[in-house]
Amino acid sequence: MVSKGGQYRPFSDADVQKIHQAVVTLLDKGGIKVFTRTGREYFKRAGASVDDTSGVVRIPRSLLEDAIASAPHSVTLCGRDPRHDIVLEGANVYLGTGGTAINVLDIDTGARRPSTCADVRDMARLVDACDWVHFFLINVYPNDIPDPEHVDLNRFYDAISNTGKHVMGGMYGSRGLREVVDMAEMIAGSPARLRARPFVSFITLIISPFKIDDRYGEFTCYLAERGLPVVVPTEPLGGLTSPVTLAANVVMHTAETLAGVVLTQVVNRGAPVICGSVGSIADMRTLAHLGGSIERAMIHAGCSQMAQHYRLPYYSTAGMTDSKLVDCQAGYESGMGSLLVALSGANFIHDAAGLMEFDLTASYEKVVIDNEILARTHRVLRGIEVTDDTIALDLMLEVGPGGDYLGQEHTVKHMRSEFAPCTISDRERREEWEASGAKDASRRANEEAKRILREHHPLPFDPAILDTLRKKYAHFLG
């Protein structure tokens, strides 16, 4: 069952209109610098004002409104297993991994080390077994592949082959993008079948402030032409690449990602596109990017409200921590961020499982702990159901003063569904906890992650595809 957000709305209706008018003015008067020639040509044909010398494209209100109207208001991202399909629309909320961290905390030693292809596979398999992590956005980089041109095909294969959930990722090269699309079409059975049930999707990026670079712009055009889901997020950093105030940051987020939406629609009207935001604030003492700040969550909640205003699917971020350990800071930063952005009704919340240390490191233990945080997040979103059955007035009258509810049928009926599942948190008495080894949450999560990796087997697919990939691509490692 999908959870619904939208309970937290940081802006009044008047605020939304003020932000919208600022967005319209920025895109019409200020414009966006487009480095991709393909993108500029598409914009020009659609009626935008294009300065070929400077590369600045100005998007009139009419073109912006037409693109918002033509972009799908609902995008379904499928799993290889249909049970894991997710529908991005309205205030539907799904949370999962993200980040493409370059390090992991080793599951055996606890030491930080560069991530590898094996970590891509193991992270995907771990996510596959975590009920409350809804998708696998490839969260670690395979540092053991020396040639960046060979990274995309191998990491997407390692991800897809180890989970039945939806797989998303950014791309490092146009060759890799085409190879991944080719592989996905093989697995799906045909290009048409992949478009009908896209079990992979792709991330490009708008560069703040107000730039669509050549590489990401070409990727965006290619994916829009093929009708495959693409996210066009933006990443302003408050105080550095955007104004320092949160309201201005939301305006920039909204304007930049809408420019990406317009690009997809002038390429292919109706192409599946997801607007998005991944920015944050800077630590004004060090100018470092912050992952776990509460202001980051507030910004994304505001962007979520703007996306709902436009009725566009929205890709967001939450659940990160700047801690270097799986400690109490990791818990409160991740928990508060995930809950706040989920309550805003953001559709696709990535980075919400396993990410830490300024988004540079991923942790197996934190994925497991975050799975429990997300279970509690969804319990909050579900709210308190008020019916005659849940109020239980007749039962309370029947049991009466001084009665006992433990053996009642009503208790048996609701006791498993009424409370968030709990597998990592300690709820034992001290004597029992000490007798079982006095383990803290990080150690319990480590043991659970190892158990999953030892016992869990993901959904397989036709081994003939593996043979085909080996014959077709010399750099394929599968």
Side-chain angles (χ1 to χ4, degrees):
M1 180 185 297
V2 64
S3 296
K4 297 282 187 180
Q7 298 89 341
Y8 173 53
R9 300 177 63 81
F11 300 130
S12 67
D13 291 345
D15 293 338
V16 169
Q17 287 303 319
K18 194 173 186 68
I19 291 170
H20 170 65
Q21 292 305 320
V23 166
V24 170
T25 301
L26 278 168
L27 293 178
D28 185 21
K29 304 299 183 185
I32 187 161
K33 194 165 187 176
V34 179
F35 288 84
T36 161
R37 180 177 297 177
T38 304
R40 289 200 304 271
E41 286 302 313
Y42 275 118
F43 272 122
K44 191 179 296 183
R45 290 177 213 163
S49 171
V50 179
D51 186 326
D52 285 317
T53 302
S54 67
V56 172
V57 174
R58 293 178 174 84
I59 301 171
R61 178 190 291 265
S62 59
L63 182 56
L64 173 63
E65 291 175 346
D66 184 65
I68 291 170
S70 68
H73 298 311
S74 176
V75 172
T76 299
L77 301 179
C78 301
R80 285 196 299 122
D81 183 339
R83 294 178 303 165
H84 298 305
D85 290 0
I86 58 179
V87 182
L88 311 186
E89 64 180 13
N92 289 359
V93 175
Y94 305 92
L95 298 103
T97 55
T100 316
I102 58 174
N103 306 297
V104 295
L105 298 185
D106 189 276
I107 195 169
D108 292 317
T109 68
R112 191 181 77 160
R113 60 168 175 78
S115 49
T116 65
C117 290
D119 292 306
V120 177
R121 294 190 291 271
D122 286 346
M123 284 288 185
R125 194 147 47 99
L126 187 63
V127 165
D128 195 62
C130 288
D131 290 341
W132 300 97
V133 183
H134 293 122
F135 54 83
F136 184 56
L137 195 158
I138 304 174
N139 63 339
V140 289
Y141 183 85
N143 288 283
D144 50 342
I145 299 179
D147 189 339
E149 287 291 326
H150 299 167
V151 164
D152 292 324
L153 178 66
N154 285 290
R155 75 189 187 108
F156 265 84
Y157 172 78
D158 286 340
I160 295 167
S161 60
N162 282 281
T163 182
K165 296 179 181 181
H166 184 81
V167 172
M168 180 185 283
M171 308 303 299
Y172 294 98
S174 57
R175 171 183 166 185
L177 173 58
R178 285 162 173 76
E179 289 174 351
V180 171
V181 171
D182 179 45
M183 174 179 64
E185 290 173 348
M186 285 185 207
I187 296 169
S190 71
R193 287 183 178 180
L194 180 61
R195 287 194 299 272
R197 285 194 53 79
F199 56 86
V200 292
S201 58
F202 304 91
I203 309 162
T204 60
L205 190 66
I206 311 300
I207 309 297
S208 300
F210 302 104
K211 292 182 288 186
I212 298 176
D213 80 345
D214 184 55
R215 172 177 293 193
Y216 285 127
E218 290 294 325
F219 292 174
T220 304
C221 292
Y222 171 79
L223 292 164
E225 288 168 348
R226 297 190 75 87
L228 293 173
V230 58
V231 185
V232 285
T234 175
E235 196 170 4
L237 197 59
L240 297 183
T241 58
S242 82
V244 73
T245 53
L246 303 193
N249 197 289
V250 171
V251 170
M252 183 177 285
H253 268 290
T254 305
E256 288 179 336
T257 192
L258 286 180
V261 170
V262 176
L263 176 57
T264 66
Q265 298 309 294
V266 299
V267 170
N268 180 10
R269 189 175 178 85
V273 61
I274 303 162
C275 68
S277 60
V278 293
S280 186
I281 63 169
D283 183 334
M284 301 312 294
R285 300 170 304 149
T286 64
L287 303 186
H289 165 279
L290 295 177
S293 68
I294 195 63
E295 292 83 7
R296 187 180 199 186
M298 294 170 68
I299 289 166
H300 294 297
C303 293
S304 173
Q305 189 173 347
M306 294 308 299
Q308 290 167 46
H309 171 71
Y310 297 117
R311 296 182 59 234
L312 292 174
Y314 173 59
Y315 161 105
S316 189
T317 182
M320 302 74 64
T321 178
D322 297 319
S323 178
K324 321 310 178 282
L325 302 171
V326 184
D327 59 4
C328 64
Q329 179 184 341
Y332 67 70
E333 287 185 342
S334 296
M336 291 181 70
S338 289
L339 181 59
L340 192 64
V341 179
L343 283 168
S344 77
N347 301 135
F348 186 103
I349 306 173
H350 79 304
D351 294 345
L355 199 58
M356 56 196 306
E357 195 186 350
F358 314 113
D359 304 350
L360 295 174
T361 301
S363 160
Y364 289 92
E365 292 85 358
K366 190 170 183 295
V367 170
V368 173
I369 291 172
D370 284 333
N371 183 57
E372 190 151 309
I373 289 174
L374 300 185
R376 296 181 181 210
T377 298
H378 283 282
R379 181 63 191 90
V380 172
L381 295 183
R382 184 154 61 93
I384 299 175
E385 181 185 14
V386 178
T387 66
D388 289 345
D389 185 38
T390 61
I391 286 176
L393 175 60
D394 290 341
L395 176 62
M396 288 187 279
L397 290 172
E398 178 185 337
V399 172
D404 177 8
Y405 293 93
L406 181 59
Q408 297 295 328
E409 182 180 340
H410 184 272
T411 302
V412 175
K413 176 182 176 182
H414 290 285
M415 66 182 185
R416 289 184 176 84
S417 60
E418 193 70 4
F419 310 130
C422 175
T423 56
I424 300 302
S425 298
D426 170 60
R427 290 178 170 175
E428 303 295 335
R429 297 176 58 190
R430 173 172 286 273
E431 294 80 8
E432 295 163 338
W433 173 70
E434 290 176 343
S436 63
K439 301 170 186 174
D440 63 12
S442 184
R443 183 175 167 190
R444 291 192 298 274
N446 177 271
E447 292 178 354
E448 176 64 5
K450 286 179 177 176
R451 184 197 66 77
I452 291 171
L453 294 177
R454 186 173 59 249
E455 299 177 3
H456 181 72
H457 301 287
L459 180 71
F461 58 74
D462 188 348
I465 294 170
L466 185 57
D467 293 335
T468 302
L469 289 168
R470 285 172 176 157
K471 292 173 183 175
K472 189 170 186 177
Y473 298 112
H475 57 277
F476 177 67
L477 303 175

